[in-house]
Amino acid sequence: MRGIWTLPDAPKSSVLRGLVVAVAVVQSVVLGLLARRGSWLSDDLDFLVQGSRGFAPAELLTPVNDHIAPGLRFVYAVFAKVAPLNHDFTVGWRTVMQALAITLMGLLLLRLLGSSWWVLLGTLFYALTPLSMPSFMSLSSGVNNLSAHVFGLLLLHATIDWYDGHRRALAYGPLALLISLACWEKSGLILVTAIALALYLREQPMRVWLGKTWPFAAALAAPIVAFGTLYLTRGNPSRGRVLSASQLLELIARGFEVPVSAAVGGPWRWAPAGQPLSLAAPPVAAVVLGALVGGLLLVVAFRHNHRALLLWASVVSYVLVTVALVSYGRFTGFGSVFTVHYHYWSDLSIPLTLAVVLSASTVRIAVPAVGLACLLVGVVVSDVGFAGPWGRNPAKAYFATVTAELDRTGPNVNLWDTSMPQPIGTALMSDPRLSPVLRMAGKEFRLQAAGSEPLLVDDTGHIRPAPFAVWSRAEPPTRGNSFCNLLVHGTEPLTIRLTPVQNEVATAEWFIKAAYFSNRENQVSVELLDADGNIAALPAADWPAGVGSMYLGPSHRIRATEVRLRSSDPATNLCVENLEIGLPR
């Protein structure tokens, strides 16, 4: 045909395998270099601290937010054990997993299409789509989704193996599904694609095909039952809410923007969130152009290969289920924004790639060079747009400075137990304090040790002296003791009223500075109380004998009006000379 760029004859399968591997290596290395521009996100730090607790079943089965993900816990435990707080090590892991996924997709297409240039084109589409790029960047999402890609594709290979008569599929197919579920329960949607692929390959009458299918289906049911039992007994599902019909229809429409814009290399543009949250904001042009491409592919599939519509049906199923799950579990907290959070959409690229390639490959025409160029331009624009906010993550410079400062000051440095600055530490973290992260990394320091005034790790990661901004002071009793006005004696609790020095009683995560003397070491716990009787307990601490100062905190957020000191030791004898609550600045 004149005016259309034509492809040369397809090479041998061995050459195509080599090209697939080359695409996998180059693309994964490029993404790895891009990932190194950024650093840790808050979930990563939370999961690393959890991972540092080891590989015991109780730790691996601790829910992740509202997920049960022992696979994710296991991977983070490896990171914490082998290379704690080493971001480059995690980039290397992601690069290997990405290369494996791309290679498995290319080999899957080779098994489906034989020696065809569409194998290479399909591998490129899968490798380049921005659907999975944000998940590679975020480590926590990468552990979820890269595992879903690798083991989901192994399940698809097992599906083909089974119908080719290879009984090994009964072993590695269910195992791949179980591992995938253990890393990310939503990855179970790969079963819809596996069913679509099995029906696409069906050559026998339905009754005969069902007879051949049931042993493999029964084998796949085993990991589903096993993980389902684990989820029901150990999971922590969200208390979501069912949306109205109009809200759900709006979210479904936004959900279908994801595969539509991906067909032309979209999003092209990301929502400005102030940090790399992977929120898509595709322009109208990307949606319209993607809809035209998708519509054309559907027409081609309908006219030339009806069975390719099965893969399109798996794409539709994936979108509907994802929208339903995300909107039910996340709408109350985040509204409609998480519908286009690409951490939830990564493995959609598997059924989408199969649907696109199996539809387009049925027509023996060359691929227009301009089409390939437009797809590549869209991908480049999307990736560059993501690289900007991703590279501005302050965690990389912050932790480099903190570790250098700790090396300079030595293991005896005494630090306030303060939180990490935003956006490194956020309200979504179970514990935003810096100290657990540093302990996970094996750094030596003292934390609010008695005797010496603690130093502060500031928002830039530097260690410096910290003035203590006093907010309230202990109010001495109306009838004092000639020896000690505030005496903790035996097991009788001592409750002390607080007098504000800032003309108001504020709510905060308070620290306590207490000057005291005692003739013995005492273990005394401290509680902050508000006017309604709510209590924020601080961890019990040993107060050394002699004259000194104790530094405690942070508390839970409370509007403190009183302080209570208590001990379980009848021999306790401790005099508090001065007690202040406030914040190190």
Side-chain angles (χ1 to χ4, degrees), residues 353-369:
T353 298
L354 293 175
V356 168
V357 175
L358 294 178
S359 298
S361 63
T362 57
V363 180
R364 298 178 60 86
I365 60 173
V367 179

Side-chain angles (χ1 to χ4, degrees), residues 124-468:
L124 284 167
F125 179 86
Y126 174 76
L128 295 175
T129 176
L131 272 175
S132 53
M133 180 271 295
S135 291
F136 183 99
M137 298 296 111
S138 166
L139 177 59
S140 59
S141 183
V143 175
N144 286 147
N145 284 297
L146 288 171
S147 303
H149 281 265
V150 169
F151 293 103
L153 285 164
L154 281 174
L155 174 61
L156 298 184
H157 278 276
T159 302
I160 297 176
D161 274 346
W162 175 252
Y163 291 105
D164 283 347
H166 301 298
R167 297 186 64 83
R168 64 187 179 219
L170 287 176
Y172 83 88
L175 180 61
L177 178 59
L178 180 61
I179 295 173
S180 184
L181 287 169
C183 292
W184 181 224
E185 67 266 30
K186 198 171 74 69
S187 66
L189 282 172
I190 193 64
L191 284 169
V192 179
T193 304
I195 294 170
L197 184 61
L199 291 169
Y200 178 87
L201 296 171
R202 181 175 69 87
E203 296 177 348
Q204 301 167 313
M206 182 60 73
R207 185 173 181 179
V208 176
W209 180 84
L210 288 173
K212 186 174 183 178
T213 299
W214 79 261
F216 188 57
L220 293 180
I224 297 172
V225 171
F227 184 80
T229 302
L230 180 66
Y231 185 85
L232 292 174
T233 56
R234 301 297 296 267
N236 184 33
S238 299
R239 291 185 177 182
R241 70 180 181 90
V242 178
L243 305 185
S244 67
S246 60
Q247 288 175 320
L248 195 56
L249 286 174
E250 179 185 353
L251 294 181
I252 288 173
R254 295 192 70 182
F256 276 106
E257 286 183 359
V258 176
V260 165
S261 59
V264 290
W268 297 0
R269 186 177 65 209
W270 304 91
Q275 52 182 305
L277 285 177
S278 311
L279 304 179
V284 174
V287 177
V288 172
L289 186 58
L292 291 175
V293 171
L296 178 61
L297 289 170
L298 285 170
V299 170
V300 169
F302 182 79
R303 294 186 60 183
H304 297 281
N305 186 4
H306 284 78
R307 291 192 178 187
L309 295 174
L310 292 165
L311 279 306
W312 285 107
S314 73
V315 171
V316 172
S317 299
Y318 188 103
V319 171
L320 294 177
V321 173
T322 299
V323 169
L325 290 175
V326 175
S327 60
Y328 177 79
R330 295 287 184 264
F331 190 87
T332 300
F334 300 100
S336 63
V337 67
F338 263 38
T339 307
V340 288
H341 187 31
Y342 266 43
H343 293 182
Y344 293 102
W345 293 99
S346 175
D347 51 340
L348 172 61
S349 58
I350 296 176
L352 182 64
T353 298
L354 293 175
V356 168
V357 175
L358 294 178
S359 298
S361 63
T362 57
V363 180
R364 298 178 60 86
I365 60 173
V367 179
V370 66
L372 285 176
C374 289
L375 177 66
L376 183 59
V377 168
V379 169
V380 170
V381 171
S382 301
D383 288 5
V384 170
F386 187 86
W390 174 253
R392 291 193 290 270
N393 187 332
K396 189 172 187 176
Y398 175 79
F399 283 110
T401 303
V402 170
T403 53
E405 288 279 279
L406 289 173
D407 291 340
R408 177 183 63 82
T409 54
N412 291 322
V413 63
N414 191 20
L415 301 178
W416 283 108
D417 196 11
T418 51
S419 297
M420 293 174 286
Q422 292 188 349
I424 301 169
T426 69
L428 297 178
M429 295 180 67
S430 60
D431 187 352
R433 294 176 303 145
L434 174 62
S435 58
V437 178
L438 295 180
R439 286 198 177 108
M440 177 273 302
K443 300 300 179 183
E444 295 185 18
F445 57 95
R446 296 189 304 154
L447 190 66
Q448 296 176 178
S452 65
E453 190 83 14
L455 302 177
L456 178 73
V457 178
D458 66 20
D459 289 354
T460 66
H462 289 91
I463 297 175
R464 59 170 176 79
F468 190 72

Side-chain angles (χ1 to χ4, degrees), residues 1-7 365-369:
M1 297 177 65
R2 291 183 179 181
I4 297 180
W5 172 63
T6 59
L7 291 170
I365 60 173
V367 179

